[in-house]
């Protein structure tokens, strides 16, 4: 079930690091490793060759595997895990070393925390350090209110009709390939459209039913994330008319992800029902955040999240300017237009770093228009629409990841 070499720090460090990641305690018996108590320090801290292996079956099976090898006498039963998150090391039935998972892990992480507090935002560093002692934050979870393996778009795919969706990009955008793959899988015809195609008149949005602004770093973010991209639309008569006409057509949908989210949020004057949309500004951490985070799906008009409300699942995030900024943040929060929030391992919305990597108030990270046809979000669903793209996934997941439903919802909307 788990493996760790005995190297830096020796046996005690290997065991502790394994327990930190799983957030469990350990009951370890050192009696088989030392002939007397004076040898305990050497047993715990020597860095010679060795490994710790966690098994689900009986120890006899492990010993049998090595029975006819030169390692036959080198396999020892160390002990078991416990759910109280306490560390208990004993020798001849006497406890010789004890502690808690939280205490030891904070000791282990303190040097990194001190450096982080000097280098980055000190408040964010303190929040991350404090999370170590929060026993409720046990890592990633996936709680879905729907069956991600159910292809709700299948009846439309069988018609042979594949509506056209413009996969829009600008200089510096890098998320268009995954985005095109996700929409193709959902039954669309994804078309690569560069902003230069629209500015020159080579491509018109009149032939598309969907428009997706992808993630990346348009104009290197030198004018603010998404700022230069948005201005190339707002200050060009042809492009402004193309986008305004597209957004006004009731049969169309639009999606902005990461850099595309930042860009579309600055086009809100052209998007019906987007008057309450916020700006997205520099992360509180003052750092680019590339992580796996938990999202909770809210009840909202967004066509992309139909039938997904109440779900909590992991997603990829990668942005430097994702913090929601709004002069009437309480109004936005209560508007019913918030589609996604950062969540903790209990499924509650959070502002705590790094569970909320940018510090957005109320955990807000996605908003939609009043009619649900236009949605913007900072995280990257296109990077985890297949199960194998996830850094962690429940064992019962098969081909489709949790976020594939977003793209199929769009196909159902088109009909």
């Amino acid at each position: 079930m788990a493996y760790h070499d005995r190297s830096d720090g020796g046996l005690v460090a290997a065991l502790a690091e394994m327990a930190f990641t799983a957030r469990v305690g350990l009951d370890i018996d050192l009696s088989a490793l030392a002939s007397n108590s004076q040898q305990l320090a050497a047993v715990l801290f020597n860095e010679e060759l060795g490994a710790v292996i966690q098994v689900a079956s009986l120890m006899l099976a492990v010993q049998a595997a090595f029975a006819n090898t030169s390692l036959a006498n080198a396999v020892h039963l160390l002990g078991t895990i416990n759910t109280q998150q306490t560390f208990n090391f004993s020798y001849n039935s006497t406890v010789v070393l004890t502690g808690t998972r939280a205490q030891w892990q904070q000791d282990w992480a303190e040097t990194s925390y001190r450096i982080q507090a000097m280098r980055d935002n000190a408040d964010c560093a303190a929040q991350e350090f404090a999370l170590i002692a929060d026993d409720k934050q046990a890592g990633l979870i996936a709680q879905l209110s729907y069956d991600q393996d159910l292809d709700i778009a299948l009846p439309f795919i069988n018609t042979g009709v594949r509506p056209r969706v413009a996969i829009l990009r600008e200089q510096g955008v890098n998320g268009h390939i995954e985005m095109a793959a996700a929409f193709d899988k959902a039954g669309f015809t994804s078309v690569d459209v560069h902003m230069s195609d629209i500015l020159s008149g080579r491509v018109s949005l009149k032939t598309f039913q969907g428009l997706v602004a992808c993630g990346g770093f348009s104009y290197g973010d030198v004018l603010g994330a998404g700022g230069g991209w948005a201005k190339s639309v707002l200050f060009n008569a042809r492009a402004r008319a193309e986008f305004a006409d597209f957004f006004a057509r009731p049969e169309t949908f639009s999606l902005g992800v990461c850099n595309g989210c930042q860009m579309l949020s600055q086009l809100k004057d052209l998007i019906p029902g987007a008057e309450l949309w916020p700006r997205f500004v520099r992360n509180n951490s003052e750092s680019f955040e590339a992580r796996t985070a938990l999202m909770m799906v809210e009840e909202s008009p967004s066509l992309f999240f139909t039938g997904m409300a109440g779900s909590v699942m992991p997603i990829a995030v990668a942005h430097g300017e994702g913090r929601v900024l709004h002069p009437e943040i309480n109004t936005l929060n209560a508007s019913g237009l918030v589609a996604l929030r950062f969540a903790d391992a209990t499924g509650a919305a959070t502002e705590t770093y790094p569970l909320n990597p940018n510090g957005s108030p109320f955990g807000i990270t996605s908003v939609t228009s009043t009619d649900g046809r236009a949605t913007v979000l900072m995280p990257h669903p296109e990077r985890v629409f297949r199960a194998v793209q996830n850094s962690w996934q429940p064992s019962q997941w098969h081909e489709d990841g949790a976020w594939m439903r977003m793209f199929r919802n769009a196909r159902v909307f088109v009909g």
Side-chain angles (χ1 to χ4, degrees), residues 140-144 148 314 387 390 392-398 402:
L140 299 177
I141 61 173
Q143 299 172 349
L144 306 186
Q148 81 265 32
N390 289 264
W392 169 85
Q393 58 175 296
S395 58
Q396 67 268 28
W397 284 14
H398 303 297

Side-chain angles (χ1 to χ4, degrees), residues 92-138:
N92 288 344
S93 302
T94 300
V95 174
V96 294
L97 183 63
T98 187
T100 66
R101 192 276 313 164
Q103 171 203 334
W104 282 24
Q105 190 171 352
Q106 283 192 321
D107 290 343
W108 177 82
E110 185 170 3
T111 301
S112 297
Y113 156 58
R114 299 294 179 187
I115 294 172
Q116 181 185 3
M118 291 186 289
R119 182 194 62 196
D120 303 327
N121 183 300
D123 289 339
C124 290
Q127 291 175 37
E128 185 169 12
F129 188 67
L131 275 179
I132 293 173
D134 187 346
D135 292 342
K136 295 180 181 178
Q137 301 307 322

Side-chain angles (χ1 to χ4, degrees), residues 41-354:
V43 167
L44 288 171
F45 298 106
N46 87 75
E47 299 176 344
E48 298 300 329
L49 290 176
V52 178
I53 303 171
Q54 182 192 8
V55 294
S57 57
L58 294 175
M59 181 62 183
L60 292 175
V62 180
Q63 292 172 322
F66 290 99
N68 297 317
T69 74
S70 59
L71 298 176
N73 296 321
V75 180
H76 305 282
L77 177 62
L78 294 176
T80 61
I81 64 170
N82 68 61
T83 57
Q84 290 75 44
Q85 301 199 36
T86 59
F87 292 159
N88 303 298
F89 288 74
S90 62
Y91 177 74
N92 288 344
S93 302
T94 300
V95 174
V96 294
L97 183 63
T98 187
T100 66
R101 192 276 313 164
Q103 171 203 334
W104 282 24
Q105 190 171 352
Q106 283 192 321
D107 290 343
W108 177 82
E110 185 170 3
T111 301
S112 297
Y113 156 58
R114 299 294 179 187
I115 294 172
Q116 181 185 3
M118 291 186 289
R119 182 194 62 196
D120 303 327
N121 183 300
D123 289 339
C124 290
Q127 291 175 37
E128 185 169 12
F129 188 67
L131 275 179
I132 293 173
D134 187 346
D135 292 342
K136 295 180 181 178
Q137 301 307 322
L140 299 177
I141 61 173
Q143 299 172 349
L144 306 186
S145 62
Y146 58 95
D147 179 3
Q148 81 265 32
D149 292 324
L150 178 63
D151 187 351
I152 60 173
L154 195 59
F156 303 100
I157 293 175
N158 287 341
T159 65
V161 177
R162 299 183 67 90
R164 284 161 53 89
V165 57
I167 308 298
L168 185 66
R169 60 188 175 93
E170 179 53 279
Q171 173 272 331
V173 163
N174 58 26
H176 52 292
I177 300 297
E178 297 100 327
M179 191 69 76
F183 275 97
D184 267 3
K185 185 175 174 63
F188 290 91
T189 296
S190 297
V191 181
D192 181 32
V193 179
H194 196 278
M195 276 299 299
S196 60
D197 296 325
I198 296 175
L199 295 171
S200 66
R202 288 191 300 269
V203 174
S204 172
L205 295 178
K206 292 181 175 62
T207 64
F208 295 95
Q209 289 180 273
L211 170 69
V212 187
C214 302
F217 304 91
S218 59
Y219 295 97
D221 286 352
V222 294
L223 300 175
W229 192 356
K231 290 174 176 62
S232 71
V233 174
L234 295 173
F235 299 153
N236 181 284
R238 185 201 301 274
R240 186 184 181 104
E242 282 280 351
F243 278 84
D245 290 347
F246 177 87
F247 294 138
R249 286 163 47 204
E251 76 277 12
T252 64
F253 67 84
S254 52
L255 176 68
V257 171
C258 197
N259 199 224
C261 166
Q262 296 152 344
M263 185 274 273
L264 284 187
S265 71
Q266 297 181 55
L267 298 185
K268 67 179 185 178
D269 291 343
L270 305 182
I271 302 173
E275 294 82 8
L276 268 180
W277 283 11
R279 293 283 300 273
F280 295 86
V281 298
R282 185 72 173 164
N283 298 342
N284 274 346
S285 66
E286 302 172 9
S287 299
F288 180 84
E289 297 288 343
R291 300 178 176 272
T292 299
L294 286 176
M295 291 289 123
M296 61 180 297
V297 183
E298 293 278 48
E299 191 71 56
S300 76
S302 176
L303 67 91
F304 289 98
F305 301 114
T306 301
M308 297 173 65
S311 299
V312 179
M313 59 276 206
I315 197 169
V317 297
H319 56 259
E321 298 180 37
R323 178 167 56 88
V324 164
L325 181 65
H326 198 287
E328 299 177 14
I329 189 62
N330 291 321
T331 301
L332 173 63
N333 184 53
S335 66
L337 300 181
V338 175
L340 296 176
R341 300 180 193 268
F342 289 110
D344 63 20
T346 70
T350 184
E351 297 180 8
T352 301
Y353 179 86

Side-chain angles (χ1 to χ4, degrees), residues 350-414:
T350 184
E351 297 180 8
T352 301
Y353 179 86
L355 307 177
N356 177 333
N358 56 49
S360 290
F362 303 106
I364 298 170
T365 191
S366 173
V367 293
T368 188
S369 59
T370 53
D371 63 3
R373 292 190 300 112
T375 299
V376 292
L377 64 156
M378 283 308 302
H380 287 271
E382 79 283 3
R383 294 186 181 177
V384 285
F385 72 92
R386 296 184 64 206
V388 295
Q389 291 176 288
N390 289 264
S391 58
W392 169 85
Q393 58 175 296
S395 58
Q396 67 268 28
W397 284 14
H398 303 297
E399 165 61 23
D400 295 327
W403 295 95
M404 187 59 212
R405 177 59 66 92
M406 265 187 67
F407 305 99
R408 287 176 173 151
N409 276 337
R411 183 64 186 89
V412 171
F413 167 78
V414 172

